[in-house]
Amino acid sequence: PNLLSVRVSNISDSKSTIPVKQLLHFPKGGGGIFRDVFIHFMPNIFVSDLKSSINFDSKAKKFFLNVRTKIENREINIHKDSVLESESFSFVLTLSSASEIIRKTSENKFQLSRNSEIFLTQNFELDGSMLWTPSVPKTFVLSAEIYSGESLVDASIRQIALYKLELAGDSLTINNQKVKIDGITYYPVYGDLGSLISYSQMEKDIRLIKETG
């Protein structure tokens, strides 16, 4: 069996903690494991990076979702398993809402030899109703799947909001519309717990800030 060993340290130095110039953002710190920790199994052939951006075509007057996917093959040894032995794969990208598939690319076939990587780029045309706004904060699920034949090799799933945020002169625009944002800087510090406060306490603080204007 595999053995996972974890060492928790509360030592404060320039190598293991926040740089000195940024300490003002964290008035009090603490040590230990204070958030959920997960172990994620990663196959040797996998989606290592999935980036999305929104572009506006001024001539067509349409928004497009651009997705750039990095796929790596870290296989070194030759396996008897036909799925792992193959260097021919296909890639499918899907954009979904909570109830249905909104957009799906056709099967993109590619070759990826052992110990190599490849970048794939796909575009989706977007309806204006799909865009995120402060008044209608819609989100979608972006799924990237790698297949070898009919066998699923790896899948990467992200929740995304579709919006284009830009700084135009002295104005901020979302989806080509000017917006004004009123806000404050919030440091989540609570008594002796420092930045280790619970999510419920953070939520309570934010509600109090909103109520006080």
Side-chain angles (χ1 to χ4, degrees):
N2 297 320
L3 177 65
L4 177 65
S5 178
V6 178
R7 183 175 67 179
V8 179
S9 173
N10 197 27
I11 298 175
S12 296
D13 57 46
S14 60
K15 293 183 179 180
S16 61
T17 55
I18 300 164
V20 174
K21 290 184 178 180
Q22 297 181 24
L23 284 177
L24 64 95
H25 297 295
F26 303 87
K28 188 170 183 177
I33 300 175
F34 57 93
R35 293 288 185 264
D36 294 337
V37 178
F38 300 91
I39 297 177
H40 179 65
F41 172 76
M42 188 75 71
N44 285 335
I45 303 167
F46 63 102
V47 175
S48 62
D49 194 24
L50 185 64
K51 293 182 178 179
S52 61
S53 61
I54 302 293
N55 287 335
F56 179 71
D57 188 328
S58 57
K59 292 183 179 180
K61 303 295 183 183
K62 294 180 179 179
F63 286 93
F64 291 88
L65 171 64
N66 301 318
V67 182
R68 188 170 187 262
T69 310
K70 180 181 179 181
I71 301 174
E72 294 186 47
N73 185 343
R74 293 186 179 176
E75 286 288 348
I76 298 176
N77 301 319
I78 297 177
H79 295 267
K80 294 181 180 180
D81 189 326
S82 59
V83 172
L84 297 176
E85 187 178 341
S86 174
E87 295 182 354
S88 298
F89 303 94
S90 59
F91 177 78
V92 177
L93 198 64
T94 306
L95 184 68
S96 307
S97 66
S99 59
E100 61 179 337
I101 294 176
I102 306 298
R103 299 284 190 275
K104 187 173 183 179
T105 63
S106 57
E107 193 177 71
N108 188 348
K109 296 183 181 296
F110 64 94
Q111 299 284 324
L112 188 60
S113 58
R114 291 190 298 273
N115 199 27
S116 62
E117 61 187 35
I118 190 174
F119 291 89
L120 301 177
T121 302
Q122 281 88 12
N123 299 308
F124 289 130
E125 182 181 333
L126 302 176
D127 297 331
S129 60
M130 297 170 62
L131 299 177
W132 181 97
T133 65
S135 57
V136 186
K138 292 183 178 180
T139 59
F140 296 87
V141 174
L142 182 65
S143 174
E145 297 176 331
I146 304 171
Y147 289 88
S148 177
E150 296 183 357
S151 300
L152 179 64
V153 177
D154 186 41
S156 180
I157 300 173
R158 309 282 175 85
Q159 187 175 41
I160 63 172
L162 304 174
Y163 64 90
K164 183 174 178 61
L165 179 66
E166 288 186 308
L167 184 63
D170 60 352
S171 300
L172 190 68
T173 66
I174 296 180
N175 307 329
N176 296 341
Q177 301 294 322
K178 288 186 177 181
V179 294
K180 181 182 178 182
I181 298 178
D182 297 319
I184 64 167
T185 301
Y186 169 60
Y187 298 117
V189 177
Y190 187 66
D192 293 336
L193 295 177
S195 60
L196 310 184
I197 68 175
S198 64
Y199 292 118
S200 60
Q201 184 59 46
M202 287 187 189
E203 184 178 8
K204 182 179 178 181
D205 287 351
I206 297 299
R207 290 185 182 278
L208 180 61
I209 291 170
K210 292 184 69 175
E211 290 171 0
T212 54

